[in-house]
Amino acid sequence: MSSKLSDYDYHLPRELIAQRPLARREDSRMMVLRRDAQTIEHRQFREVKTFLQPDNLLVLNDTRVLPARRFSHDGAVEFLFLERLGPRRWRCLVKPGRKMRVGATAKIDNATMRVEEITPEGERVVLLDEDVDLHAGGSMPLPPYIGRESDADDVSRYQTIFAQVPGALAAPTAGLHFTPEILAEIPHTFVTLHVGTGTFLPVRSENVAQHRMHAEHFSISASAAAKIDNAKQIAAVGTTVVRVLESARRENGELIAQTGSTDIFIYPPYRFQHVDHLLTNFHLPRSTLLLLVSAFAGREFLLRAYEEAIRERYRFYSYGDCMLIL
């Protein structure tokens, strides 16, 4: 298992980056990887139930994406509002940063904000002259590789059909393929992890072990913990669920109800303790998400599967197709 970042790279033709979702969620293609036999199959997502045993439990992330993207009144500054810190105070990302140094001001709607602080991570803490909900008029924070502004379709499609708990800045994209009908046929439960910007920070060190993840908040209910403890096998829907299950506290070997945060960084040769199968989308080269899936499937097998997905013209990333790893 390599710890060199350059060994987790691949070339993706730009036209394979899905810019919009398919008309129907369930029409996504699904590549099925069998780790024991090292085989690859090309199927449809609507067949997912046929690959799971009756005693398998799907675990999904029910976080809800915040409409966090806003622009200043003059259009000169883009904001991503991460968190409301208190009355009139917000934590945000800005672009371009040079326009919003300490003391700088900008206007959104009828509210004027002033930069109070710049954190070591480059985030801004801003104070508004009146208390307004900046998420109320915001748009979906689509990833940069989707080269367009978000629109009315994204309000529903960049959200899972089971999204409940507001707090994410990106969708748990493996869950985007599910319809109510498909989900109803498979035993399942939910955990919550609010996907933050740290998940998508680039790995800058050639030695991947030197990378540090930002903490993300999660919660597990008592009913979800009981279902997970009683399941014969766990099928995690997405890397966010994997991170919750592999880092959550247990007492006497049993998962307990809890809230907390995790900064777990999973990369080869990590040994998984609590996840048996993984449904996931295709991920960016040299990313923490690709490293996690490489740890689960094996780096060489996974990259061979990615090469085949490119040859077969799969659709990549958030609005793209998916992969089921058994």
Side-chain angles (χ1 to χ4, degrees), residues 166-209:
L169 297 172
T173 55
L176 293 178
H177 309 281
F178 285 89
T179 64
E181 295 76 16
I182 291 174
L183 192 58
E185 293 182 341
I186 305 172
H188 63 275
T189 193
F190 301 102
V191 298
T192 305
L193 181 137
H194 294 313
V195 190
T197 56
T199 295
F200 305 101
L201 284 177
V203 182
R204 301 192 185 280
S205 52
E206 175 62 10
N207 180 356
V208 299

Side-chain angles (χ1 to χ4, degrees), residues 100-113:
M100 295 300 289
R101 303 192 188 281
V102 172
T105 61
K107 197 165 188 174
I108 290 183
D109 297 333
N110 294 318
T112 299
M113 68 185 69

Side-chain angles (χ1 to χ4, degrees), residues 20-281:
R20 289 193 176 274
L22 297 174
R24 302 194 310 168
R25 293 176 186 264
E26 67 270 29
D27 286 346
S28 296
R29 298 169 73 188
M30 182 175 70
M31 176 179 276
V32 179
L33 275 60
R34 297 186 185 274
R35 291 176 291 173
D36 53 354
Q38 297 281 288
T39 58
I40 298 171
E41 300 174 46
H42 304 288
R43 309 298 285 262
Q44 296 291 316
F45 175 74
R46 67 176 72 92
E47 302 174 85
V48 64
K49 180 186 176 182
T50 65
F51 291 94
L52 301 173
Q53 300 299 318
D55 57 5
N56 288 177
L57 180 72
L58 276 185
V59 183
L60 307 103
N61 183 2
D62 66 358
T63 187
R64 189 169 187 85
V65 182
L66 297 167
R69 192 170 183 233
R70 300 292 304 267
F71 288 87
S72 59
H73 186 70
D74 59 4
V77 184
E78 178 184 347
F79 294 87
L80 190 65
F81 288 100
L82 309 177
E83 183 184 9
R84 188 178 193 151
L85 299 175
R88 302 190 296 129
R89 295 182 76 242
W90 289 73
R91 184 170 61 90
C92 61
L93 294 173
V94 302
K95 188 167 65 175
R98 67 180 184 278
K99 289 185 176 289
M100 295 300 289
R101 303 192 188 281
V102 172
T105 61
K107 197 165 188 174
I108 290 183
D109 297 333
N110 294 318
T112 299
M113 68 185 69
R114 174 187 172 88
V115 179
E116 283 191 322
E117 176 189 348
I118 301 177
T119 71
E121 294 78 23
E123 299 169 355
R124 269 61 173 172
V125 176
V126 299
L127 180 69
L128 281 69
D129 63 354
E130 57 181 288
D131 194 15
V132 296
D133 183 359
L134 293 171
H135 288 152
S139 61
M140 282 296 182
L142 296 181
Y145 50 74
I146 296 181
R148 61 176 177 82
E149 298 295 319
S150 65
D151 57 28
D153 286 344
D154 298 305
V155 173
S156 60
R157 293 304 304 274
Y158 195 62
Q159 203 83 269
T160 63
I161 54 112
F162 45 80
Q164 289 290 329
V165 188
L169 297 172
T173 55
L176 293 178
H177 309 281
F178 285 89
T179 64
E181 295 76 16
I182 291 174
L183 192 58
E185 293 182 341
I186 305 172
H188 63 275
T189 193
F190 301 102
V191 298
T192 305
L193 181 137
H194 294 313
V195 190
T197 56
T199 295
F200 305 101
L201 284 177
V203 182
R204 301 192 185 280
S205 52
E206 175 62 10
N207 180 356
V208 299
Q210 295 175 357
H211 180 74
R212 293 293 177 265
M213 298 283 286
H214 285 193
E216 293 173 316
H217 298 291
F218 74 88
S219 62
I220 304 171
S221 68
S223 61
K227 285 184 179 181
I228 292 166
D229 280 330
N230 291 327
K232 295 293 186 184
Q233 289 193 319
I234 296 296
V237 178
T239 57
T240 60
V241 171
V242 173
R243 296 181 69 233
V244 171
L245 296 180
E246 291 294 317
S247 59
R249 289 181 293 111
R250 285 166 169 80
E251 292 182 358
N252 300 318
E254 291 190 348
L255 186 65
I256 58 172
Q258 60 195 277
T259 61
S261 62
T262 178
D263 61 358
I264 189 172
F265 176 29
I266 296 176
Y267 57 91
Y270 181 87
R271 294 181 64 84
F272 291 82
Q273 301 295 314
H274 307 291
V275 175
D276 302 291
H277 310 306
L278 172 60
L279 178 75
T280 186
N281 278 22

Side-chain angles (χ1 to χ4, degrees), residues 9-29:
D9 204 355
Y10 67 92
H11 172 69
L12 180 70
R14 186 161 184 80
E15 67 269 18
L16 296 185
I17 301 175
Q19 296 297 300
R20 289 193 176 274
L22 297 174
R24 302 194 310 168
R25 293 176 186 264
E26 67 270 29
D27 286 346
S28 296
R29 298 169 73 188

